[in-house]
Amino acid sequence: MFKNYLKISWRNLTKNKAHTFINVTGLSVGMAVAILIGLWIWDEISYNKYFQNESKIVQVWQHQTFNGKVGSQIAMPIPLGTMLRDEYTGTGKDFKYVTLSSWNYDHIVAFGDKKLTQQGSFMQPEITEVLSLKMLKGTRDGLKDPSSILLSQKVATALFGSDDPMNKTIKLDNKQLVKVTGVYEDLPRNSTFNELNIILPWDLYPINQEWIKRASTQWGNNSFQIFAQLNDKADINKVNARIKDLKEKNIALAGDKVGASFKPVVFLHPMERWHLYSEFKDGINTGGDIQFVWLFGIIGVFVLLLACINFMNLSTARSEKRAKEVGIRKTVGSLRSQLIGQFFSESLMVTAFAFLFSIVLVLLILPWFNQVAGKTVGILWANPLFWILGLGFTIFTGIIAGSYPAFYLSSFQPVKVLKGTFKAGRYAALPRKILVVLQFFVSATLIICTIIVFRQVQFTKNRPVGYDRTGLVQMSMKSDDIHKNFAAVRNDLLQSGFITEMAESGSPLTDVYSNNSGLNWRGKAPDLQDDFGTIRLTPEFGKVANWKIIEGRDFSRAYVSDSTAMILNESAAKFMNFKHAVGEVIDWGRKYKVIGVIKDMVMSSPYEPVKPSIFVLSNDVEGMIDIRLDPKKSTHDAMAKIEAVFKQYDPGSPFEYKFTDEEYAKKFANEERVGKLAGFFTLLAIFISCMGLFGMASFMAEQRIKEIGVRKVLGASVFNLWRLMSTDFIILVSISLLIAIPMAYYLMHGWLQDYKYRAELSWWIFALTAVGAIVITVLTVSYQSIKAALTNPVKSLKTE
């Protein structure tokens, strides 16, 4: 019986080639989208699953209250990590391991003539157990040697090739000799530590940074990270209750009134939630990238649903042509269950073909998809789960797509069909119309949402940043050779004519690395809490940035007094309630005199208000080199000259640089990625909808061919016939727009509220979508409508 079902199904599919092509193509595209999104979601939800102890790994966070608003951060003080390690770790206690960590940043590792820049952190030895590193060489105890280094497999291969790296001595940051005591397996891309390519012992940190010794006793110095692993029987909620007041109590005991005023609350954030639930608002975990998992999951379901709708629509539309087949089969004894099985077999055959084609489409699209999505996902050929899900996915889709045709067609009464009295009924077309409305509702909603996402990104890109990004180059100082010879390097480059200015700064123009509180000024309210972005720099920084002075003057080496001078940005002057800030005195451990106010510069998130910031001079700035190129000179020649000068003074460091405008553009990467993917899926949704519309128009033209012939004989013009055929579809699309527009407005209005600097929802977006949807509908339907209208009426009526 099943073999017979397949034979009949194959004959029906090959007999109606156009119908089959539309169904298979539509389902293939829909299933390909679902597979791509499924692979993307799998990669997202499997984030950090590489680590054996993932369910027990936590990071220590803190909530702090700032003028009535609660903020959450991962930057923590060293004494807290020390206390948790000493008093809360061990058998029967809350933690199995607690480890302090620096931030992950660039280091130079050199062996012989090979020099590499790799990201790494200073960490306490227990981190190897917390992360359950898979050691390829050595053991996890390697960090216990204070002059050791652990390398990832790719770094070890790049430095030593096929040679054994163990116990080899390499030079770190052109200063310190360290010994390779272990090589660990590269950490996967979909993990929080994917860029942790080298691990350095915590005890090595003070050799490079003397200030860490002071920080080790300062409860208010939030400059580090704390990772931990809970004991097997520990309950995270109970642990949170025990540790939440630790910082507040100890910071009060230390006499730090400013730090205590922030009312810090310590808590643990589990690794399981680091990636998808990383956002906090007013002290509450509100989500994070999980919104994109839901977004693309919903898009995948809807795109696949559109393809299923096409199948159901075209199958039910051709019901009258198959009515006699059903009648004859019932007359000769076929049961309704057998007919249902027959129609489901056809549906499953189509979905089976569609699944095979969808795999081919996925293979073709994956390279582009990975590039846009920032992933390295691939089809999980060796994973049995993929094939189980693929088979279940195909059967499920086949059942969903074929359910309505199977139950609808099998319900026909043979007597009426064979006597010729069968009529589809007044409301037979209603389900098809509803499905068409649903299709274009989904498509129109996706179009509006995609336009708004792109517009938000473009709106923010066009936001005035307060400085000139063009021709700006920024370099991270990995050794102090350039800093020691700053005056000579600057002089050589200025004389070369390839640059107009050069400066040093503690933060790049695209970020703020340091924040400070505890400033006092005239008129400051007693209960006002302050938190200022703090940028230490050399006097040339303003000319490099080309920042805009709106009051007072810039720093200058001509004024010795500028060593205790301060420049504020607009937001800081406003926060301090200064109408005229120049001349005001700021008490920050010592007295600083305000000499200028600059226009706000967007250095952090372009989607947020500019943070109040202060700028002060420092002779000990070891962070960034900022260079403004001469716009009249070749950029290629300028960078070659800069490299030559830098190599002269710092031959041990690789010459690496970044253009500020490119770094600023990276701030939009996430939103642009979402916009591009949403746009791609939207185009596919429109394509599927148009294919269905084309198939429906083809069927309607075929069904009404005799009516069209009669109308032509009676004098109807081609335009009148085209309007007759197109009007029904235009009405359906218009109904879908009436539903889609308010829905899209509601969704995107809520999405935009997450951005304090956001574009407005303009009426033209919805108008453009409506016009576009109707134009697409008209163009899709017109081919079949005009073709039918131009048909010779003699051919369509001669069978009567």
Side-chain angles (χ1 to χ4, degrees):
M1 181 64 74
F2 183 69
K3 183 179 179 180
N4 184 55
Y5 285 166
L6 293 179
K7 281 184 178 180
I8 296 174
S9 298
W10 178 252
R11 289 171 185 167
N12 279 319
L13 295 178
T14 54
K15 181 181 178 181
N16 303 292
K17 293 182 176 61
H19 173 269
T20 302
F21 174 79
I22 291 174
N23 271 336
V24 171
T25 304
L27 279 176
S28 296
V29 173
M31 294 172 85
V33 169
I35 292 172
L36 285 171
I37 290 177
L39 291 173
W40 184 87
I41 291 176
W42 175 264
D43 189 75
E44 289 291 297
I45 63 176
S46 61
Y47 223 85
N48 288 329
K49 296 296 182 184
Y50 173 86
F51 303 108
Q52 294 177 4
N53 308 313
E54 183 231 7
S55 63
K56 291 295 181 180
I57 297 174
V58 295
Q59 184 171 16
V60 183
W61 283 54
Q62 63 176 319
H63 298 307
Q64 293 194 101
T65 302
F66 179 74
N67 293 324
K69 294 183 179 179
V70 179
S72 305
Q73 65 181 58
I74 60 175
M76 306 298 294
I78 290 178
L80 176 62
T82 304
M83 177 174 283
L84 293 177
R85 180 189 178 101
D86 294 343
E87 300 180 21
Y88 291 80
T89 303
T91 305
K93 295 187 178 180
D94 294 323
F95 299 103
K96 189 172 184 179
Y97 304 109
V98 174
T99 176
L100 284 158
S101 172
S102 69
W103 302 100
N104 207 39
Y105 56 89
D106 289 343
H107 294 275
I108 300 171
V109 286
F111 179 75
D113 295 333
K114 292 183 179 179
K115 298 179 178 66
L116 303 175
T117 300
Q118 295 293 329
Q119 288 199 337
S121 300
F122 292 94
M123 295 175 153
Q124 291 180 323
E126 291 79 8
I127 192 65
T128 58
E129 296 293 340
V130 172
L131 299 183
S132 55
L133 293 181
K134 296 177 182 177
M135 304 303 297
L136 305 178
K137 298 280 185 180
T139 68
R140 293 178 184 173
D141 293 331
L143 282 183
K144 291 182 179 179
D145 183 342
S147 60
S148 64
I149 185 172
L150 300 184
L151 305 178
S152 67
Q153 183 180 6
K154 65 180 179 181
V155 175
T157 302
L159 279 177
F160 303 104
S162 58
D163 294 342
D164 186 358
M166 290 298 292
N167 297 316
K168 296 284 180 62
T169 299
I170 62 178
K171 197 170 188 180
L172 176 70
D173 295 331
N174 294 332
K175 302 176 187 176
Q176 183 75 22
L177 294 178
V178 291
K179 182 174 64 176
V180 178
T181 56
V183 177
Y184 56 91
E185 184 178 84
D186 292 338
L187 299 176
R189 186 186 181 97
N190 64 336
S191 74
T192 303
F193 298 95
N194 67 306
E195 293 183 339
L196 186 66
N197 297 321
I198 61 175
I199 306 177
L200 297 157
W202 180 260
D203 292 339
L204 194 64
Y205 208 155
I207 296 173
N208 297 323
Q209 299 287 347
E210 285 296 326
W211 64 270
I212 196 175
K213 295 179 179 178
R214 299 190 299 271
S216 63
T217 59
Q218 296 172 339
W219 281 88
N221 188 332
N222 300 309
S223 301
F224 306 91
Q225 298 182 85
I226 304 173
F227 299 103
Q229 181 181 331
L230 293 169
N231 270 318
D232 293 338
K233 295 182 180 180
D235 181 280
I236 192 170
N237 294 319
K238 293 179 180 178
V239 177
N240 279 334
R242 281 191 284 271
I243 69 173
K244 65 186 181 78
D245 297 325
L246 285 182
K247 185 183 177 185
E248 184 176 15
K249 289 178 179 178
N250 283 277
I251 207 168
L253 288 174
D256 184 355
K257 294 182 180 179
V258 174
S261 69
F262 290 106
K263 300 177 182 178
V265 175
V266 177
F267 70 99
L268 305 176
H269 192 42
M271 179 181 265
E272 295 171 317
R273 299 177 68 83
W274 288 1
H275 180 61
L276 296 179
Y277 299 89
S278 60
E279 293 182 2
F280 288 82
K281 186 175 182 180
D282 293 330
I284 298 173
N285 192 190
T286 56
D289 285 351
I290 187 64
Q291 64 178 325
F292 298 124
V293 172
W294 282 108
L295 171 65
F296 288 121
I298 291 170
I299 289 176
V301 170
F302 275 118
V303 171
L304 185 59
L305 179 62
L306 295 182
C308 293
I309 287 173
N310 278 355
F311 189 100
M312 289 187 283
N313 255 349
L314 294 177
S315 297
T316 54
R318 303 188 67 84
S319 59
E320 291 184 39
K321 284 192 170 290
R322 300 196 63 180
K324 289 184 179 180
E325 175 194 342
V326 172
I328 292 172
R329 288 170 65 87
K330 280 193 171 184
T331 301
V332 298
S334 290
L335 300 175
R336 186 181 182 190
S337 60
Q338 293 174 320
L339 292 172
I340 290 174
Q342 171 63 48
F343 289 120
F344 270 129
S345 67
E346 288 183 21
S347 175
L348 289 170
M349 184 175 287
V350 170
T351 53
F353 283 131
F355 179 71
L356 294 176
F357 284 127
S358 70
I359 294 292
V360 175
L361 285 175
V362 169
L363 290 173
L364 293 174
I365 296 171
L366 261 178
W368 174 87
F369 180 80
N370 278 328
Q371 182 181 2
V372 173
K375 298 284 186 184
T376 55
V377 299
I379 295 179
L380 309 173
W381 300 109
N383 191 335
L385 183 62
F386 172 77
W387 295 108
I388 294 172
L389 289 175
L391 179 61
F393 182 64
T394 302
I395 294 173
F396 176 76
T397 304
I399 291 174
I400 294 296
S403 57
Y404 186 73
F407 291 108
Y408 176 68
L409 295 176
S410 64
S411 67
F412 293 165
Q413 295 181 15
V415 176
K416 291 184 178 181
V417 171
L418 297 177
K419 287 178 65 178
T421 58
F422 169 79
K423 291 184 180 179
R426 182 179 177 184
Y427 299 105
L430 183 60
R432 297 198 297 273
K433 291 180 179 179
I434 292 173
L435 292 175
V436 169
V437 169
L438 179 59
Q439 272 191 319
F440 273 86
F441 158 72
V442 173
S443 298
T445 303
L446 287 175
I447 291 171
I448 293 171
C449 293
T450 303
I451 291 174
I452 292 173
V453 169
F454 276 114
R455 187 164 181 260
Q456 170 64 14
V457 172
Q458 197 59 43
F459 177 79
T460 313
K461 276 187 174 182
N462 294 333
R463 179 183 182 182
V465 295
Y467 65 94
D468 184 6
R469 299 193 302 270
T470 308
L472 271 180
V473 178
Q474 58 190 49
M475 288 175 277
S476 175
M477 283 188 282
K478 303 175 186 69
S479 71
D480 59 2
D481 291 338
I482 297 297
H483 172 67
K484 290 177 180 178
N485 297 284
F486 174 76
V489 174
R490 175 174 174 266
N491 185 61
D492 287 355
L493 289 176
L494 286 173
Q495 287 186 352
S496 73
F498 283 106
I499 76 167
T500 60
E501 194 50 273
M502 171 177 165
E504 292 179 287
S505 61
S507 300
L509 274 162
T510 51
D511 206 348
V512 177
Y513 289 165
S514 178
N515 297 281
N516 285 276
S517 57
L519 281 69
N520 290 291
W521 58 89
R522 180 179 59 83
K524 180 182 179 181
D527 58 345
L528 182 67
Q529 296 170 308
D530 58 293
D531 183 30
F532 294 93
T534 308
I535 299 90
R536 292 176 171 83
L537 39 78
T538 57
E540 303 81 14
F541 183 83
K543 292 180 180 177
V544 172
N546 232 345
W547 61 16
K548 311 299 180 187
I549 301 285
I550 57 177
E551 183 184 357
R553 63 173 178 85
D554 202 345
F555 291 116
S556 172
R557 290 188 182 273
Y559 295 93
V560 178
S561 60
D562 278 6
S563 61
T564 56
M566 181 181 289
I567 288 179
L568 311 177
N569 68 357
E570 285 180 283
S571 294
K574 184 177 180 181
F575 182 81
M576 294 176 174
N577 202 26
F578 290 149
K579 291 184 178 179
H580 300 286
V582 173
E584 295 287 349
V585 176
I586 309 296
D587 187 348
W588 184 32
R590 61 175 179 170
K591 306 292 185 181
Y592 287 84
K593 185 177 181 181
V594 177
I595 63 168
V597 178
I598 64 164
K599 188 175 181 64
D600 281 341
M601 296 194 300
V602 181
M603 299 179 69
S604 297
S605 171
Y607 299 101
E608 298 291 332
V610 174
K611 185 173 184 175
S613 300
I614 59 175
F615 302 82
V616 294
L617 294 183
S618 174
N619 293 321
D620 194 29
V621 180
E622 290 188 46
M624 303 297 300
I625 292 289
D626 309 284
I627 299 175
R628 177 164 292 282
L629 304 179
D630 189 331
K632 299 176 183 177
K633 302 293 176 65
S634 162
T635 300
H636 178 269
D637 293 342
M639 297 314 301
K641 179 61 179 177
I642 294 170
E643 180 178 10
V645 173
F646 272 58
K647 286 293 184 182
Q648 179 184 345
Y649 291 95
D650 186 12
S653 300
F655 180 70
E656 296 172 327
Y657 60 90
K658 298 174 182 177
F659 288 102
T660 301
D661 54 356
E662 293 177 355
E663 289 302 295
Y664 184 77
K666 290 179 181 178
K667 294 177 180 291
F668 306 94
N670 201 36
E671 282 73 14
E672 285 186 327
R673 183 179 297 121
V674 171
K676 287 179 181 178
L677 290 176
F680 172 66
F681 296 138
T682 299
L683 288 176
L684 293 182
I686 295 169
F687 171 75
I688 293 170
S689 298
C690 288
M691 284 196 69
L693 207 59
F694 183 84
M696 285 293 295
S698 175
F699 167 75
M700 293 296 291
E702 181 183 348
Q703 188 183 47
R704 302 178 70 176
I705 190 68
K706 292 182 176 59
E707 175 192 346
I708 292 170
V710 172
R711 288 179 179 275
K712 287 197 72 172
V713 170
L714 296 176
S717 65
V718 173
F719 174 76
N720 288 334
L721 294 172
W722 168 81
R723 185 178 61 184
L724 174 70
M725 296 289 293
S726 303
T727 301
D728 287 345
F729 292 104
I730 293 173
I731 291 173
L732 294 178
V733 171
S734 299
I735 293 172
S736 70
L737 289 169
L738 291 175
I739 303 172
I741 287 174
M743 175 61 73
Y745 178 88
Y746 172 78
L747 293 174
M748 297 314 293
H749 180 267
W751 178 73
L752 285 172
Q753 299 312 303
D754 291 336
Y755 301 97
K756 293 183 180 178
Y757 189 83
R758 55 182 177 266
E760 296 296 326
L761 288 175
S762 301
W763 64 269
W764 63 264
I765 297 174
F766 305 97
L768 179 66
T769 302
V771 172
I774 292 173
V775 168
I776 289 172
T777 302
V778 171
L779 291 176
T780 304
V781 173
S782 290
Y783 173 77
Q784 292 295 347
S785 300
I786 295 174
K787 180 182 176 182
L790 293 174
T791 302
N792 188 339
V794 175
K795 291 183 179 181
S796 59
L797 297 175
K798 66 181 181 180
T799 56
E800 286 293 337

